[in-house]
Amino acid sequence: MSGAASLIGAVVLVVSLGVAAQLVADWLQIPSVAFLLIAGVLVGPQALDLVDPAIFGQAGLQAIVGLSVGIIVFEGAFHLTVERVREASREALGLVTVGAFVSLVGTAVAVKVVFGTTWPVAVLVGSLLIATGPTVITPIMQVVPVRDRVAAALETEGIINDVTAAILAVATFEFVIASQSSPLVVVEAFVARLAVGHIVGIAVGGGITLLLQRWHLSADNALQNARVVVLTAALLAYALGSMWLSEAGIAAAAVAGIVLGNADIPHEEEIADFKGGITLFVLSFVFIVLAAQLSLGDLRALGFGGLVVVIAVVALVRPLGVFLSTLGGRLTVRERMFVGAMGPRGIVPASVATLFAIELRPENPDAAAVLVGTVFLVIFATVMFQGGLARHFAQALDILPMQTLIVGGGRVGRELAVRYESRGEEVVLIDSDEDTVERTRAEGHRVVHGDATNASVLEEAGAGRASVVVAATADDDVNLLVAQLAMTRFGVDTVVARANQPDNVEAFADLNVETISASFAVADAIDDAVERPSLAHWLSDSGRTGDVLEVELRNDSLTDRPIEEVAETLPDGCLVAMVSRDGTDRVPDSDFRLASGDHLTLVCETNEAMQDARRLCQGD
């Protein structure tokens, strides 16, 4: 077979395996990287010998891997919006500073102690393993619907630490291969590449933003052109940065992605979808090729020490770094435990370690074996176990929140979202109008753009894990169909629908849907203002800090106890106003004894007291 035919056959096989791995991963809801690594090892020279990375040539492989990493990093950074970072800004800052430092030092010490390498080689391994990366974190977050603040912290860490790890590793590598260099060369090289990356990234991102904004006014094929231009921007930023200073291209691609992702460019959602598809393709190809190059001898050479290092990195270094970097933040103890258990490594350490090993092996084969063996062993272990068991971890820690789904991003829907979010609840809105979606997002809400009468849109928004669905559009037909889908297709416990026309209330009642008639609601509000003015004013005051809460009693320590005793355990500023049992509502006296399953109506002065009371009553 000719060289060209062999190359074509290898490319087609790799692409086919990549697609198959993605399909299997989607089916099992496990990050595809695990299957890509396995596929690469199986078809590589160490197993079936169907794909030999040497066919691409060393320079060709470096170019392919470099440009691919540039696209992948750009794609992750494109989604790193200011609003996303604000979800967990304090935690994210801690993870990319304190957490990264602990990871670097802890991993380097483990490698030095276990394998007895030189400190520069140990630091090189530690530098690479700082990176978690969006290629492995994002797929996990797609199948493990944790709170936004948890996902935002992990995703921000992955994107920024990818860049940090790549640049720091390159700087450290220069020190490793230069026998008489000062350690200051590491700092100088790191700062120089970071500076070049920022300059090139801002220039490319800003220039492409202006081009898209102006071109949009006259181009007939604006969407198609915008997609191609943004993809070119990723490659251009990486190429210019790398040409200026080796490996500065990764930082340049990341900065350009952040600039474009936070800019007001046309067709942003369509561009993101298009780039996501390209990234999946590139990721599949590169991971399989890199895994095919992996030498099983390097892994065997690590022996029992390799297992010790993996355990140290996963079970000691990562949890310690997360614990120290999230002190005083908004994450709960269980959420911090989950973040500590999620540190899968991805494409950046795999690609950079492979390329470094090629250069190191002729002069220092032992260092090359430790480098590539340790990095890939950690990648295998973290992707397979942390990625595969992520949902089980989250379920065991009970950090998967039920959410409220609001259909309709108008004034009613947005006001409801503000109220629910002020109580600490997870809220997602759905609307089919693009302008409404943009306005709602600008106010800081999570929104899915689409027709909520389509079951796939409801599923995308998370109807399968919603505890409440509110159909609040101005169209009764839409509200009726959404309510029906929520109850019959997704089995949502509480479905509330807005009836704009009084004549339609009966149709909603036939579905056993909690119905709010717009005209009746106005009449009730007027009646409250006349008969209960103080309460009406308090409930309608958007600036109030407390609220009325109804919660099911599931805490056994509070059952079979009189209200007088229970009141003493409630947070300050909370009062039990009513107890509902077996369909009967009553105002309890001090001797009334509570039972499991009672629904308590609490009046709370502050949102914090309300959240504490909810957790107490539910046994959390």
Side-chain angles (χ1 to χ4, degrees), residues 195-404:
V196 169
H198 275 79
I199 293 171
V200 173
I202 291 172
V204 172
I208 297 298
T209 297
L210 292 175
L211 176 63
L212 290 172
Q213 289 173 340
R214 294 184 179 182
W215 197 0
H216 180 60
L217 299 176
S218 57
D220 294 329
N221 299 317
L223 174 58
Q224 180 178 347
N225 292 330
R227 287 172 170 172
V228 175
V229 168
V230 172
L231 178 59
T232 304
L235 299 173
L236 182 63
Y238 179 82
L240 291 177
S242 298
M243 289 169 61
W244 188 342
L245 198 58
S246 66
E247 299 304 327
I250 293 179
V255 173
I258 292 173
V259 171
L260 275 165
N262 285 277
D264 183 18
I265 59 175
H267 311 295
E268 185 172 351
E269 287 189 17
E270 292 83 355
I271 291 172
D273 291 340
F274 171 74
K275 285 199 76 284
I278 295 293
T279 300
L280 282 177
F281 179 84
V282 169
L283 175 67
S284 301
F285 185 86
V286 173
F287 246 124
I288 291 178
V289 171
L290 291 177
Q293 189 162 295
L294 179 63
S295 170
L296 296 181
D298 289 339
L299 295 181
R300 286 194 296 266
L302 298 180
F304 181 72
L307 181 61
V308 172
V309 170
V310 169
I311 293 175
V313 170
V314 173
L316 297 177
V317 176
R318 172 67 180 179
L320 176 62
V322 170
F323 174 78
L324 294 176
S325 60
T326 57
L327 283 172
R330 293 192 304 156
L331 300 186
T332 65
V333 173
R334 293 182 179 185
E335 288 171 342
R336 292 167 70 190
M337 291 173 64
F338 177 77
V339 174
M342 289 296 109
R345 274 59 174 188
I347 188 67
V348 166
S351 59
V352 178
T354 301
L355 298 180
F356 284 174
I358 293 174
E359 295 186 45
L360 271 178
R361 204 173 294 277
E363 301 293 331
N364 195 340
D366 292 338
V370 169
L371 171 64
V372 74
T374 303
V375 168
F376 269 93
L377 197 58
V378 171
I379 291 174
F380 267 109
T382 56
V383 168
M384 295 297 291
F385 289 99
Q386 295 181 340
L389 299 175
R391 176 178 283 274
H392 300 290
F393 287 152
Q395 289 173 338
L397 293 170
D398 194 21
I399 62 167
L400 296 180
M402 300 299 283
Q403 69 179 19
T404 298

Side-chain angles (χ1 to χ4, degrees), residues 102-112 122 125-126 129 309 313 317 345:
V102 172
S103 177
L104 169 63
V105 174
T107 304
V109 170
V111 171
K112 170 66 176 176
V125 176
L129 292 179
V309 170
V313 170
V317 176
R345 274 59 174 188

Side-chain angles (χ1 to χ4, degrees), residues 51 55 91 128 131 160 291 458 490 574 590:
V51 175
I55 197 172
E91 289 79 4
L128 283 173
I160 295 178
L458 285 174
F490 297 100
C574 283
S590 59

